[in-house]
Amino acid sequence: MPSYLKHTRIVVVDNGASTIKLGVKGFNDSDSRVIPNAIVRSKGDKATYYGHEIEKCTDYSSLHYRLPFEKGYLVDWDAQKAIWDGIFTTDYLMLDPTESSLLMTEPYFNLPNLQDVYDQFVFEEYEFQSYYRCTPASLVSYGKLYREKGQPSPECVLVVDSGFSFTHVVPMINGSIMWEAVKRIDVGGKLLTNQLKELVSFRQWNMMDETYVMNDVKESCCFVSTQFTRDLDICRANPIGNPIVQEYILPDFSLNRRGHVRRPDEMMEDSYQILHMNSERFAVPEIMFRPDDIGLEQAGLAQTIAHSISLLPEDIQGMFWSNIGLIGGSTKFPNFCSRLAAELRTLAPVDSEVKIYESSDPILEAYRSAIAFASKPDFLQKVVTREEYNESGSNACRRKFPDWKPKEGEAALTKGKVSVELQDVVREDEEGAPAHPGDVVGRKTDSALG
Amino acid sequence: MSNIIIVFFSDCGGQHRAIRNTQSVASAQLDPDVIAKRTRRHLDELERSNYSEPSALLAGEEDEDGTAGGRTGKGRARQATSDKRAAELGKKKKSTMNVRTAVLYKKSFTMLLDESGLASYPASVPTYLSAAAPPPKEPPRMLCSICGYLGKYRCKRCSMPYCDKNCEEVHDEARCERRVI
Ligand SMILES: [Zn+2]
Ligand SMILES: [Zn+2]
């Protein structure tokens, strides 16, 4: 490692399809800036906002979105550059990118032709001094998700990352992803918000152009049902007065009034427009557990986890059942964890313990873990430097970064080989902060049925 | 938001009595290809970032970024959004050829997937293509396409499920595609 790297500032970017989580190691360790990864046009404001500029927006009705990501992959580089140009600057970061290192996340199974473009932007456009690229789940073992007091991090973990574009099940051994067992469900926050828009627009108000508002409705009202047909019955028996139905008061941006769930004592005003959230509250997140409810022929989350584990070496499968961790914004629905735990118990072998770890902030978990990784001395051993890139281009990155593709001359891991690699690696437990085991109790739902 | 209430269901607890001319299971004449196509179309709609086209939304206003975003395929932008943005930000750097190419020639995910050559990887290498979750083990449940409750019946013409007479009527008036069989 060249000696100048030792004092390098490290910029950490979890570059998601919905939001960019960004900060500098040593300055924003526990709280990143969260920036929409979008170019947003506000009709009301007659203005266009790039990424972090959204905070200037005053009228969120009928926003038009241009997203760099399509189906979970970064395809619109013109849009991404317009957004990155505003944040990879000395003014915004308070440091000079050309004298800094960058840790950037990429999607699972990122396409090789796209990986090259990532590298080109980092070194050729922003000229970072060095850089490391990996997937969000691969960072989690550096973070606190699985930490329990006095315990080393488990060797075998299975991370569920449910984000904006899709949901991935990612088993790992000592921080290395077992790619042959990684599975993807094509359901994420974007699909759920769009489905909610459709339901509400057909049943009540036309909200098809109100992505921003409906995303807030989803985040404020939706929960995962632990008994789907029972809850459907409750909603049907008395659609107006049941313990599930909520009234969401739609925003009025001209009055600077935000949308919100009606509080029990809140007086109604004539100007209020009400959205009745009845079975929509749980029928929408239900799609993660039953994608076939909308005709998507993929197994639900619990079955997909069971399938993934079945592809791993038999002698260590039990460890994955007991080390399931949840990250990503779409795992935040109330009762997500308890529903998943209940379903998994019916699928796990009788002698396997099922244990689920919840993050205190699933959206920031990968970011915070990335900061922890960047704080380790060996981080700077793993980066690719600008010199290396200038010498051998993306080949330098292909050689060094962890990836789903076997490296040249390396065969794909087979079942037999994996268990041999297992050994007792005890990581030092820096802060020893408690993890958040969520086996027995998930977060409580705000429905009266919790 | 326009207040077009299409229908609001206050009466979904209605009767479960048998409904005329219905079959509780899809009959043999239903064309699975047509149904699969309809499902595919719906799933594609659920992937959209905007419902209305930018032209309709930005009518009468300067059409800038929206236009570029709507451009598909390898069409070259009149002016890249990021060029305008860089000018606004006072950024002077001249981009390299690689970066220019990525900015000016947008490709859809399908096109990029095609060009990535994943399809020709040996079967032993897991890829985006092989990572999709397996099909579900149970048969799908029938949920009413109108109110979302468990549906017992399917429309004889388009096979969409519904739960009772009320929903059947709404379906016939507003939702029936009348052309699957
Ligand atoms: Zn119905
Ligand atoms: Zn019909």
Side-chain angles (χ1 to χ4, degrees):
Chain A
M1 167 175 59
S3 58
Y4 64 79
L5 280 181
K6 279 185 187 146
H7 307 287
T8 300
R9 293 284 187 68
I10 302 169
V11 180
V12 169
V13 178
D14 182 6
N15 197 57
S18 166
T19 56
I20 302 173
K21 282 70 70 175
L22 162 138
V24 177
K25 188 199 67 136
F27 290 91
N28 318 89
D29 285 359
S30 56
D31 283 303
S32 72
R33 307 187 214 192
V34 180
I35 298 159
N37 200 359
I39 301 172
V40 179
R41 173 86 197 167
S42 165
K43 207 160 60 160
D45 288 0
K46 292 192 170 39
T48 300
Y49 303 105
Y50 295 85
H52 66 285
E53 296 173 351
I54 193 76
E55 60 195 33
K56 295 184 212 149
C57 185
T58 61
D59 187 343
Y60 292 85
S61 54
S62 305
L63 294 185
H64 180 270
Y65 286 86
R66 180 171 167 194
L67 308 177
F69 280 71
E70 180 200 339
K71 295 203 165 82
Y73 292 89
L74 212 178
V75 304
D76 186 346
W77 289 92
D78 181 28
Q80 187 66 87
K81 181 171 183 295
I83 295 161
W84 279 354
D85 274 357
I87 57 181
F88 291 151
T89 66
T90 309
D91 277 352
Y92 189 76
L93 294 173
M94 313 265 267
L95 51 76
D96 183 352
T98 66
E99 291 170 10
S100 319
S101 186
L102 174 71
L103 195 176
M104 163 103 79
T105 62
E106 64 174 336
Y108 306 98
F109 289 112
N110 200 6
L111 304 181
N113 36 345
L114 285 175
Q115 289 176 323
D116 291 356
V117 187
Y118 274 77
D119 304 343
Q120 289 156 7
F121 269 74
V122 170
F123 284 125
E124 300 177 20
E125 182 65 23
Y126 302 109
E127 300 178 80
F128 280 93
Q129 199 176 69
S130 63
Y131 142 79
Y132 185 81
R133 164 167 58 70
C134 66
T135 61
S138 69
L139 294 163
V140 164
S141 56
Y142 295 98
K144 294 178 179 173
L145 182 62
Y146 290 101
R147 289 288 162 85
E148 285 178 289
K149 245 195 162 62
Q151 296 289 312
S153 280
E155 298 162 342
C156 297
V157 300
L158 185 145
V159 170
V160 174
D161 184 352
S162 186
F164 184 66
S165 313
F166 32 40
T167 301
H168 278 92
V169 171
V170 187
M172 287 178 285
I173 299 179
N174 291 327
S176 297
I177 295 179
M178 299 290 102
W179 287 104
E180 64 280 3
V182 175
K183 291 293 153 190
R184 179 191 75 249
I185 303 170
D186 292 311
V187 177
K190 184 183 196 179
L191 180 145
L192 299 180
T193 299
N194 280 341
Q195 173 72 8
L196 180 60
K197 274 201 287 196
E198 270 186 21
L199 291 180
V200 159
S201 299
F202 178 59
R203 295 174 188 170
Q204 298 177 59
W205 306 90
N206 181 359
M207 300 295 283
M208 292 306 286
D209 287 318
E210 305 302 332
T211 304
Y212 180 88
V213 176
M214 289 314 295
N215 187 60
D216 187 65
V217 176
K218 179 187 79 176
E219 290 179 4
S220 313
C221 299
C222 285
F223 67 94
V224 174
S225 169
T226 48
Q227 276 182 278
F228 184 66
T229 46
R230 178 203 63 181
D231 288 350
L232 275 183
D233 281 332
I234 290 171
C235 289
R236 185 179 172 97
N238 185 354
I240 305 191
N242 67 61
I244 292 174
V245 68
Q246 281 181 339
E247 294 170 298
Y248 184 93
I249 300 170
L250 291 169
D252 187 335
F253 296 112
S254 65
L255 299 173
N256 207 7
R257 194 185 71 220
R258 317 280 302 192
H260 61 280
V261 177
R262 184 185 176 189
R263 292 174 292 272
D265 55 341
E266 188 170 359
M267 295 295 287
M268 286 305 221
E269 290 175 28
D270 288 345
S271 63
Y272 282 5
Q273 285 184 308
I274 305 291
L275 210 56
H276 290 267
M277 289 290 292
N278 203 17
S279 63
E280 297 84 2
R281 289 187 64 198
F282 57 88
V284 167
E286 182 70 17
I287 298 168
M288 293 187 281
F289 294 87
R290 291 297 299 263
D292 56 347
D293 277 358
I294 53 164
L296 178 60
E297 286 184 36
Q298 293 181 342
L301 181 54
Q303 258 182 32
T304 302
I305 291 172
H307 175 67
S308 165
I309 295 177
S310 76
L311 300 171
L312 294 158
E314 235 166 273
D315 51 333
I316 54 171
Q317 288 183 1
M319 301 213 262
F320 292 97
W321 284 108
S322 56
N323 289 302
I324 294 166
L326 307 179
I327 66 169
S330 295
T331 67
K332 285 180 78 172
F333 292 107
N335 279 349
F336 184 99
C337 184
S338 38
R339 165 74 176 270
L340 181 61
E343 282 196 34
L344 287 176
R345 268 190 219 105
T346 67
L347 297 169
V350 274
D351 56 340
S352 293
E353 182 201 14
V354 174
K355 194 167 175 183
I356 304 178
Y357 291 81
E358 287 184 279
S359 167
S360 55
D361 191 337
I363 293 175
L364 289 187
E365 188 60 42
Y367 170 84
R368 289 177 184 165
S369 303
I371 291 280
F373 174 42
S375 308
K376 288 194 169 292
D378 53 336
F379 171 73
L380 290 172
Q381 311 274 3
K382 297 184 176 176
V383 295
V384 167
T385 64
R386 200 163 59 218
E387 287 72 35
E388 289 173 308
Y389 180 83
N390 288 343
E391 221 166 88
S392 31
S394 267
N395 273 328
C397 303
R398 271 174 229 135
R399 278 196 295 266
K400 258 181 142 169
F401 297 156
D403 199 11
W404 54 270
K405 292 189 299 297
K407 304 250 183 284
E408 260 166 61
E410 201 182 278
L413 283 177
T414 59
K415 277 197 177 189
K417 273 198 208 156
V418 178
S419 32
V420 180
E421 291 188 356
L422 259 184
Q423 40 183 293
D424 276 334
V425 177
V426 179
R427 288 217 184 83
E428 77 274 37
D429 199 316
E430 296 108 322
E431 283 110 303
H436 313 275
D439 178 34
V440 187
V441 193
R443 272 156 308 182
K444 269 176 64 187
T445 172
D446 50 348
S447 104
L449 302 162
Chain B
M1 313 123 232
S2 44
N3 16 344
I4 43 160
I5 294 189
I6 303 173
V7 66
F8 182 65
F9 296 93
S10 54
D11 191 27
C12 264
Q15 326 90 322
H16 284 253
R17 277 180 284 115
I19 288 169
R20 73 205 143 79
N21 295 335
T22 53
Q23 291 150 297
S24 55
V25 186
S27 60
Q29 312 103 293
L30 298 177
D31 182 345
D33 285 351
V34 179
I35 295 174
K37 217 180 264 175
R38 181 174 72 198
T39 303
R40 191 67 253 165
R41 201 187 330 127
H42 181 224
L43 292 173
D44 286 344
E45 273 165 25
L46 291 176
E47 171 64 27
R48 289 171 68 161
S49 302
N50 301 286
Y51 178 70
S52 297
E53 288 307 314
S55 51
L57 212 61
L58 303 173
E61 293 165 27
E62 43 158 357
D63 68 341
E64 34 161 358
D65 40 79
T67 314
R71 153 180 67 97
T72 51
K74 43 193 162 195
R76 191 181 169 125
R78 286 184 304 244
Q79 189 192 7
T81 302
S82 56
D83 287 350
K84 269 190 205 169
R85 171 76 168 155
E88 276 168 31
L89 291 168
K91 186 176 171 179
K92 301 233 163 56
K93 185 185 163 68
K94 198 169 178 296
S95 297
T96 63
M97 186 67 123
N98 284 332
V99 170
R100 278 317 276 170
T101 306
V103 163
L104 292 179
Y105 301 96
K106 189 193 159 194
K107 293 169 183 166
S108 69
F109 176 67
T110 316
M111 216 189 257
L112 286 159
L113 187 59
D114 218 42
E115 291 177 10
S116 69
L118 290 196
S120 63
Y121 276 59
S124 59
V125 179
T127 68
Y128 171 82
L129 297 168
S130 63
K137 287 190 174 147
E138 314 95 53
R141 4 180 223 214
M142 274 171 58
L143 298 179
C144 175
S145 57
I146 303 300
C147 73
Y149 188 71
L150 299 170
K152 279 190 194 159
Y153 315 104
R154 279 188 191 278
C155 171
K156 286 180 73 180
R157 291 174 296 259
C158 74
S159 106
M160 289 220 229
Y162 57 87
C163 68
D164 66 9
K165 206 163 156 53
N166 288 323
C167 287
E168 183 191 17
E169 276 165 19
V170 179
H171 171 83
D172 285 352
E173 274 164 36
R175 274 279 164 111
C176 187
E177 300 210 355
R178 300 172 208 285
R179 56 182 200 88
V180 166
I181 298 172

